[in-house]
Structures are given as C-alpha cells and as structure tokens.
C-alpha cells in the first residue's frame, strides 16, 4: 500500500504564482483590512465592496498559473497517496494536476445561495453582482469561509491528517484557527516539515523540521528526496 503524505498549504504556496499572501504586506490584504472584506458582517454592511473584492481576486485567477511547488505535488502522486488540505481559495492545486484537494476555506470559482447554503454553483466567468440570485431568488455570495464562520471540512481534514505517514506544511503563517492546529492530529512519530521563508518566525513544536525557503525551490527538492528514497518513510 502506498504511504500517505498530507500537504497542508496556505497562501505562500501560491505567492510565486503572483497571488498576494494575507499577512505579508503590513497586515493589509490587497489594501483592505480583512474585517472589511472577509466577514459576514462586512457582507451585510457593504455587499458591493465584498463582491467587488472577491471579483478582483477571481479575475486574477485567470491571469496566474500554478508554480513549481504545485507541480512537485503532482509528481509526488506517482509513488505516494497524496492528500492536499489547503486554506487557499484559488484553484492552482487542481490546475497543476493535484488529485485529492480539500479546500478548508472555500473556493473562489464557486458561489452559493444566501438563502439555501447547500446550493452551490460554479460561477461562469469572474463576476458576481448584487442581484445575481439562486433559482429561489436569494442573493448569491462567494463560497468562502469568512472569519467567524464554521469550517465545514474540518473533521474530514483532521481524519486525513491522522492517517498521514508524513506531513508537509507549506506557505501558511499558522495564524488562523482551526486550520493552524490541524498538524496536531498527526500520529506522534509522523515526520512533519514546514516550508516557509519565515519559518524561523513562526511558532510550532521543536519536533517539526523547518525549511526556511520559498516553496518553489524547497518543495520540489523535498519531493525529489522522497521519490528517490533519500528520505524513507
Ligand atoms: N513560499 C513559501 N511560503 C511563503 C512564500 C513562498 N514563496 N511567500 C510567503 N510565504 C509565507 C509567509 O512567510 C507566511 O508565513 O506564507 C505565509 C502566508 O501566511 P498568510 O498570509 O497568513 O496566509 P495563510 O496562512 O494561508 O492565511 C490563512 O487567513 O485570511 C485568511 O482565510 C484566509 O486562508 C486564509 C487564512
């Protein structure tokens, strides 16, 4: 049976594709405070602003490509059962050929009904407007887990991590819970790496091996070591 490797990814894995991370630029995210664009209250207060914000993020998705880190994960699939759990709402994992991708915080290209949360659609194009409704007449909203909202895939994710033979954390500041605590579901003897150019500034247990580098260089190298047997799980 193939060994299972879980990748826990965050905004940093998409940084080299040209998508801004959340906390690297003075705490602002594309010039907005997170609470002005990524909370249910923000959507109630100023739905136009929130829709426009996500429209621009979605539009940008059509202008960027997966990078070496996403493609390295695809190569890893040749020998391992690879499970990606991502906080990202972009689709770069999928576009690079990553097969098992669980989105914790939703997906930019999907929208859902504000009246019937189970009604989720793939959005055609990049624009969602005020007045765009589900078939029952309710306004559509981005299918994004905003601050203060529940993370529906959390328990599925925890179960995946608990089965892992290795965990690779890549490009997340480990600031946002519950996602930041997921690695704690790994079995005690499971090797865990953390790839982040600022890994030395993050807080995690000593048992985790830091790689203080960008994902685009470090992840392909780690993947090569796993594929050629230099690292044995
Ligand atoms: N390679 C690897 N890591 C990188 C790179 C890179 N090229 N560039 C930046 N990073 C690292 C940063 O050093 C930082 O530690 O990626 C991390 C990004 O952290 P955040 O911006 O906090 O992103 P993330 O952890 O994914 O945020 C979690 O916050 O706003 C919410 O819901 C949103 O899913 C998001 C969540």
């Amino acid at each position: 049976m193939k060994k299972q490797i879980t990748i826990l990814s965050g905004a940093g894995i998409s940084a080299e594709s040209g998508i801004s991370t959340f906390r690297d630029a003075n705490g602002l995210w594309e010039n907005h405070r997170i609470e002005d664009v990524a909370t249910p209250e923000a959507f109630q207060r100023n739905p136009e602003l929130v829709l426009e914000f996500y429209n621009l993020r979605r539009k940008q998705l059509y202008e960027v490509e997966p990078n070496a880190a996403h493609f390295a994960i695809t190569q890893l699939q040749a020998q391992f059962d690879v499970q990606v759990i991502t906080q990202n709402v972009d689709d770069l994992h999928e576009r690079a050929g990553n097969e098992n991708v669980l989105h914790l915080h939703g997906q930019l290209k999907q929208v859902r009904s504000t009246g019937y949360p189970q009604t989720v659609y793939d959005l055609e194009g990049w624009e969602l407007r005020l007045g765009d409704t589900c078939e029952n007449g309710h306004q559509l909203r981005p299918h994004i887990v905003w601050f203060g909202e529940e993370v529906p895939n959390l328990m599925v994710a925890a179960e995946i991590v608990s089965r892992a033979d290795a965990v690779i954390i890549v490009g997340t500041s480990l600031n946002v819970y519950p996602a930041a605590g997921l690695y704690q579901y790994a079995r005690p003897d499971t090797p865990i790496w953390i790839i982040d150019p600022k890994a030395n500034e993050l807080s995690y247990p000593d048992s985790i091996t830091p790689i203080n580098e960008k994902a685009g260089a470090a992840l392909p190298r780690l993947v090569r070591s796993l594929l050629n047997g230099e690292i044995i799980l």
Side-chain angles (χ1 to χ4, degrees):
M1 210 167 76
K2 285 180 179 174
K3 298 270 182 170
Q4 199 250 75
I5 299 182
T6 297
I7 313 279
L8 295 174
S9 72
I13 198 169
S14 298
E16 288 160 83
S17 294
I19 299 181
S20 304
T21 60
F22 300 99
R23 292 175 184 78
D24 279 335
N26 347 307
L28 289 184
W29 178 22
E30 301 282 0
N31 299 320
H32 292 281
R33 295 185 315 149
I34 285 173
E35 53 272 34
D36 290 339
V37 288
T39 61
E41 294 76 21
F43 187 57
Q44 268 179 351
R45 207 166 42 230
N46 194 345
E48 265 132 339
L49 173 76
V50 173
L51 292 182
E52 178 63 5
F53 176 79
Y54 283 98
N55 283 344
L56 293 178
R57 307 280 73 71
R58 202 177 295 112
K59 186 171 181 222
Q60 183 188 36
L61 259 195
Y62 289 92
E63 294 152 11
V64 299
E65 298 291 337
N67 66 57
H70 300 100
F71 288 116
I73 295 172
T74 305
Q75 290 172 353
L76 199 58
Q77 292 171 169
Q79 284 181 36
F80 295 94
D81 166 13
V82 181
Q83 302 287 329
V84 177
I85 300 171
T86 187
Q87 295 171 74
N88 298 344
V89 295
D90 66 51
D91 60 351
L92 296 181
H93 281 296
E94 287 88 346
R95 280 163 55 195
N98 300 178
E99 282 165 6
N100 306 308
V101 184
L102 184 72
H103 286 268
L104 288 175
H105 294 164
Q107 297 190 59
L108 265 178
K109 286 188 177 170
Q110 293 185 332
V111 296
R112 75 166 179 266
S113 166
T114 49
Y116 297 90
Q118 302 310 323
T119 305
V120 177
Y121 303 105
D122 290 330
L123 186 68
E124 298 260 326
W126 56 271
E127 239 178 329
L128 178 64
R129 294 196 200 86
L130 215 51
D132 290 344
T133 59
C134 71
E135 63 249 28
N136 292 307
H138 294 277
Q139 175 66 40
L140 293 171
R141 58 162 274 181
H143 187 44
I144 300 282
V145 176
W146 285 326
F147 282 90
E149 294 186 317
E150 217 182 295
V151 178
N153 285 332
L154 187 68
M155 289 330 287
V156 185
E159 197 271 327
I160 292 171
V161 177
S162 73
R163 284 190 282 114
D165 297 296
V167 175
I168 304 172
I169 304 170
V170 47
T172 168
S173 62
L174 297 174
N175 260 302
V176 174
Y177 284 83
L182 271 176
Y183 70 82
Q184 293 164 9
Y185 288 89
R187 294 188 303 262
D189 56 339
T190 305
I192 305 181
W193 292 269
I194 185 162
I195 298 175
D196 192 310
K198 291 188 188 157
N200 49 355
E201 295 171 25
L202 306 179
S203 99
Y204 48 84
D206 284 349
S207 55
I208 297 185
T209 308
I211 304 177
N212 288 278
E213 278 178 67
K214 291 185 176 181
L219 191 55
R221 205 174 60 238
L222 180 57
V223 162
R224 275 196 300 278
S225 301
L226 287 158
L227 289 175
N228 68 21
E230 241 171 78
I231 297 173
I232 296 172
L233 299 180

